[in-house]
Amino acid sequence: APDNASGSVSAEQWVHAQRPLPLPPGATDLALTATPSASYTSPWEHVTAINDGVYPTSSNDSQDIRWGCWPETGQQWIELDWNQPITTNGSSVYFLDDGGGVRLPASWTVQYWNGSAFVDVPSPGTYPIADNTFNAVTFGSVTTTKLRVVLQSGAGSVGVIQWVVPSIPGSG
């Protein structure tokens, strides 16, 4: 400022606080240590978004990376692979819905690798489908090195911003 300047200066600093991921007490997010893959990823999207641990701001989150498969429709999948077996009994998925070509899925299921093929998880609860929230399903405990979320498109292509795979507290 010039030598003859007078007045006061103020500054505001904004901090974006990360909301905690939806995990049962004592559980950790097993997805964070997995290698992600997908049936198809749009060139401008990132499959690594599905397990980067970032809590989305909304289903149309454009400030964080995300996975989408536009213009592909029909059945699509995302997958997490681990170097060592993991044990879980649930998954929470935050869907991408940009209001255009990528919309909420018509349906989704969780599958696990049984050593020779992907099969549906045992005894799943209801598979919810909502925007701007994590969609959680619980199921019978599985021990596996691979999980898949299989998505059936509805009004457009499908996408996921975050996938949480909780550990089972006290299971090892």
Side-chain angles (χ1 to χ4, degrees), residues 8-150:
S8 64
V9 175
S10 66
E12 289 185 49
Q13 181 175 2
W14 292 89
V15 176
H16 176 71
Q18 163 88 13
R19 292 173 63 182
L21 295 172
L23 290 166
T28 59
D29 184 5
L30 299 169
L32 298 173
T33 61
T35 301
S37 60
S39 52
Y40 174 80
T41 302
S42 303
W44 56 90
E45 304 288 15
H46 308 271
V47 72
T48 55
I50 67 171
N51 66 329
D52 65 5
V54 175
Y55 197 109
T57 58
S58 74
S59 284
N60 193 13
D61 186 346
S62 59
Q63 73 182 34
D64 299 307
I65 63 170
R66 59 213 193 154
W67 170 79
C69 67
W70 188 88
E72 302 299 316
T73 57
Q75 183 175 289
Q76 302 294 319
W77 53 262
I78 54 174
E79 182 177 320
L80 294 174
D81 292 25
W82 289 269
N83 292 331
Q84 299 292 325
I86 58 100
T87 301
T88 188
N89 62 355
S91 278
S92 294
V93 179
Y94 204 110
F95 297 117
L96 170 62
D97 184 342
D98 65 9
V102 179
R103 304 305 302 265
L104 294 174
S107 63
W108 66 288
T109 57
V110 178
Q111 297 182 330
Y112 74 103
W113 183 253
N114 69 4
S116 58
F118 280 99
V119 296
D120 291 346
V121 292
S123 307
T126 302
Y127 285 96
I129 301 170
D131 61 359
N132 302 317
T133 191
F134 277 94
N135 293 271
V137 64
T138 58
F139 45 81
S141 176
V142 296
T143 299
T144 187
T145 56
K146 301 177 187 187
L147 283 178
R148 269 192 181 173
V149 169
V150 179

Side-chain angles (χ1 to χ4, degrees), residues 1-7:
D3 291 338
N4 62 351
S6 65

